Amino acid sequence: EAGVTQFPSHSVIEKGQTVTLRCDPISGHDNLYWYRRVMGKEIKFLLHFVKESKQDESGMPNNRFLAERTGGTYSTLKVQPAELEDSGVYFCASSPGGDSPLHFGNGTRLTVT
Amino acid sequence: SQQGEEDPQALSIQEGENATMNCSYKTSINNLQWYRQNSGRGLVHLILIRSNEREKHSGRLRVTLDTSKKSSSLLITASRAADTASYFCATRDPGAGSYQLTFGKGTKLSVIP
């Protein structure tokens, strides 16, 4: 079974530019999550999809962040325009649901200069 | 302290020794989970303990949960160099709108061969 894959693994952009991160969950997992770890801080929840619907987006920091999951398969997280404080590692995770453990991707390390 | 805060922040031991990491949290929980993260990789689920359980074992891992003290511990017995990683506890708040996990900052474990 293929795991959760994220692309790109690293991204370096300038302040004001746009970046789109992609996550391919494990096939058949209806639940998809985005988390972020800013340097030296906790891993923070961003949002949760159930299939193509946003179940909970309470962790999204502001309206510069837009997540989509068209068709309920892969998801994208767009940051537009990027700010310096957006730098960090963005993790995607998927699960079948309920109390099933989350399966994480390797993350995308975003650096905004 | 932060929800899901681990202690110590860093731990260095010799191969073969036991490693104990602690986690404290602030709110009521449905369950508490431990994850491991190897450098540059995603988080890997280790073990889940429900709020009505007090102890759980999985291989060389032993997890305890004390809901009265809002704390948990992860014991790794007979440590190996391959156990070198960061370890995170994560809690699920039953009051949360979705299945979002709250992570701590993690304990960085170094096992010296």
Side-chain angles (χ1 to χ4, degrees):
Chain A
E1 163 183 275
V4 176
T5 56
Q6 292 186 245
F7 182 83
S9 55
H10 293 81
S11 180
V12 180
I13 61 171
E14 292 183 354
K15 177 182 171 181
Q17 290 186 321
T18 297
V19 63
T20 300
L21 314 181
R22 172 169 170 146
C23 168
D24 286 76
I26 292 173
S27 178
H29 283 192
D30 286 343
N31 294 268
L32 186 149
Y33 306 83
W34 284 97
Y35 284 82
R36 174 175 77 168
R37 188 178 193 193
V38 172
M39 180 72 75
K41 304 230 171 154
E42 298 89 348
I43 300 167
K44 291 283 195 184
F45 168 83
L46 295 178
L47 88 159
H48 170 206
F49 283 100
V50 177
K51 297 185 180 178
E52 68 276 8
S53 299
K54 289 177 187 173
Q55 180 78 9
D56 181 356
E57 52 184 332
S58 61
M60 295 287 263
N62 52 60
N63 60 9
R64 295 185 294 103
F65 289 75
L66 175 64
E68 294 180 321
R69 193 183 181 195
T70 307
T73 54
Y74 71 91
S75 175
T76 58
L77 179 64
K78 181 192 285 188
V79 185
Q80 179 183 32
E83 298 288 344
L84 298 178
E85 64 264 24
D86 300 333
S87 295
V89 181
Y90 290 76
F91 291 103
C92 174
S94 71
S95 80
D99 275 349
S100 300
L102 272 57
H103 298 258
F104 281 81
N106 287 338
T108 293
R109 181 173 294 277
L110 175 64
T111 302
V112 183
T113 63
Chain B
S1 62
Q2 300 286 333
Q3 177 80 350
E5 185 169 297
E6 293 87 349
D7 160 54
Q9 291 186 352
L11 179 62
S12 183
I13 60 173
Q14 294 290 133
E15 200 166 31
E17 293 181 337
N18 295 342
T20 299
M21 289 160 269
N22 302 298
C23 166
S24 61
Y25 57 92
K26 295 172 86 173
T27 67
S28 60
I29 61 171
N30 265 343
N31 62 60
L32 185 143
Q33 304 177 34
W34 285 90
Y35 286 80
R36 182 189 74 224
Q37 184 189 21
N38 291 88
S39 181
R41 307 298 298 270
L43 285 80
V44 174
H45 180 262
L46 295 176
I47 195 165
L48 179 152
I49 185 165
R50 301 188 189 284
S51 59
N52 61 353
E53 297 176 308
R54 291 297 167 257
E55 187 171 313
K56 203 160 183 181
H57 297 254
S58 176
R60 293 184 296 112
L61 305 180
R62 173 179 169 248
V63 169
T64 62
L65 178 65
D66 187 335
T67 52
S68 66
K69 294 180 179 176
K70 290 187 166 54
S71 68
S72 173
S73 68
L74 171 67
L75 168 68
I76 303 175
T77 60
S79 64
R80 304 167 182 168
D83 295 328
T84 294
S86 291
Y87 291 81
F88 297 87
C89 69
T91 55
R92 181 190 173 194
D93 180 354
S98 73
Y99 187 66
Q100 62 169 276
L101 295 178
T102 302
F103 286 88
K105 291 184 182 180
T107 293
K108 193 167 185 177
L109 173 67
S110 298
V111 181
I112 303 164

